[in-house]
Every structure is written in C-alpha cells, then in structure tokens.
C-alpha cells in the first residue's frame, strides 16, 4: 500500500516526473537531427555513445511505468504515462539501430574507397616496375660500356656502337619486362 501512495503522490505532485517524457522526447529529437546529418563513422560514434544511456533510461522508465500500472490499475493517467514511456523507448531503440546501421554503412563505404585506392596504387607500382625492368639493362650496359676501358667499340664508326647498345638494352629490357609482368600476374 505504501508503494501505491508513493506512486500516486509522485504523479500528482511531482512536476519533474510529469516532465520526464517531454525531456526524453526533446533529447531524442536532438539525436534524430544529429543522426540525419551524420555521414561518417566519426560522426556516428558520439551519437551512439550519447544515445545508449538515453535508450537504457527510456527502457527503464517504461518498465517502471508498467510496474506502477500493475500497482495502481485504475489510474488512467498511469496508462497514458506508460504508453508515452513505451513510445519513447521504442523511438530510442529505433534511433540507436538506425545510427548503428548508418555507421556500418559509412565504414563499408570507406573500406570500398580504400580498396579502390589500393588497386590504383598496385597498378601504378606495376607500371613503375615495368619501366624499371625495361630501362635497367639499358642503363647498366651504358654504364659499363661508358667507362674508359678498351672494349673494341672504339674502332667502329660513330653511330653504330650507340645503336648496338640501345638495341641490346631494349631487347634485354623487353625480356625482363615480360618476365616481371608474367610474375606479377601469377
């Protein structure tokens, strides 16, 4: 009987208890605005962190109002208060679920963007490796033959030694580039 009186007194005279559903509704409206504007996981995380205690409190309010309804079944005001608490708990739960799903979608989008960037980077690295494979033998041959050692090319007329170096280097570079390209595809 004492519980029943405390609940009735709280509902009749407790202005704070009467304002509780409105406070929850106002806070949930603010969170809905934040959720609607969020597009990144960084924006969703504070929303979820702030919404979790509100959701728990709304559920607890609903449970308390249900218990109060059982103790004072004839009070129509308790039924309305309990229904409001249920609506608030449901709204908080749906908002939390939407925010969580939104964060997961944002994470998936970011992962896709990173996968595309990684693929582009891999293609660029492969092209660079092909260029290196093509020009490395040419540079090596030019470096070795460009020293002041006697190599037998001094007696050959001027354009032919450089043409021979370029041809040998291009052939070696092509063979090496094909080998590197075949190895990167495997």
């Amino acid at each position: 009987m004492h519980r029943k009186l405390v609940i009735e007194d709280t509902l009749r005279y407790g202005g704070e208890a009467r304002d509780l559903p409105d406070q929850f509704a106002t806070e949930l409206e603010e969170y809905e605005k934040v959720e609607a504007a969020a597009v990144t996981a960084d924006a969703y995380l504070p929303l979820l962190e702030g919404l979790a205690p509100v959701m728990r409190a709304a559920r607890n309010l609903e449970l308390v109002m249900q218990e109060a309804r059982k103790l004072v079944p004839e009070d129509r005001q308790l039924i309305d208060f309990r229904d409001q608490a249920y609506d608030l708990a449901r709204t908080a739960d749906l908002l939390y679920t939407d925010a969580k799903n939104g964060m997961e979608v944002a994470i998936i989008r970011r992962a896709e963007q990173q996968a595309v960037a990684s693929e582009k980077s891999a293609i660029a690295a492969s092209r660079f490796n092909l260029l290196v494979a093509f020009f490395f033998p040419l540079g090596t041959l030019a470096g070795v033959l460009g020293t002041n050692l006697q190599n037998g090319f001094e007696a050959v007329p001027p354009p032919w030694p450089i043409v021979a170096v370029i041809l040998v280097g291009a052939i070696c570079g092509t063979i090496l580039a094909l080998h590197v390209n075949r190895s990167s595809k495997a």
Side-chain angles (χ1 to χ4, degrees):
M1 186 66 174
H2 176 62
R3 282 168 123 185
K4 182 178 177 183
L5 292 176
V6 169
I7 291 171
E8 287 176 352
D9 286 345
T10 300
L11 290 175
R12 282 199 189 103
Y13 306 111
E16 292 177 11
R18 290 185 192 282
D19 295 339
L20 200 54
D22 293 334
Q23 291 172 1
F24 272 109
T26 302
E27 193 163 350
L28 288 174
E29 286 174 9
E30 291 299 317
Y31 279 120
E32 283 180 17
K33 291 176 187 175
V34 172
E35 194 270 336
V39 291
T40 64
D42 290 338
Y44 280 108
L45 193 58
L47 174 66
L48 290 171
E49 288 173 347
L51 195 54
V54 173
M55 185 177 68
R56 283 192 303 272
R59 283 184 190 160
N60 290 336
L61 178 63
E62 177 193 1
L63 294 174
V64 166
M65 289 299 103
Q66 181 61 31
E67 185 65 29
R69 172 73 178 111
K70 288 178 186 174
L71 293 173
V72 188
E74 68 277 353
D75 192 348
R76 183 71 191 149
Q77 193 176 11
L78 267 178
I79 294 171
D80 294 339
F81 203 50
R82 181 204 57 197
D83 292 344
Q84 284 179 335
Y86 171 79
D87 290 341
L88 291 171
R90 183 71 181 139
T91 301
D93 188 43
L94 290 173
L95 186 57
Y96 186 85
T97 302
D98 286 347
K100 190 173 180 182
N101 290 340
M103 185 175 75
E104 289 174 1
V105 167
I107 289 170
I108 289 169
R109 283 187 184 139
R110 184 68 181 142
E112 287 176 1
Q113 291 170 350
Q114 288 176 347
V116 168
S118 293
E119 183 179 0
K120 288 180 181 178
S121 179
I123 289 169
S126 177
R127 288 180 183 160
F128 179 72
N129 286 338
L130 287 174
L131 285 172
V132 168
F134 182 79
F135 285 107
F136 182 73
L138 200 84
T140 303
L141 285 174
V144 169
L145 297 176
T147 59
N148 293 331
L149 300 175
Q150 294 291 334
N151 53 24
F153 282 119
E154 291 83 12
V156 180
W160 297 115
I162 192 69
V163 169
V165 167
I166 290 174
L167 284 175
V168 170
I171 290 169
C172 290
T174 302
I175 291 169
L176 191 55
L178 291 173
H179 177 70
V180 168
N181 194 24
R182 185 178 54 213
S183 296
S184 67
K185 288 182 181 177

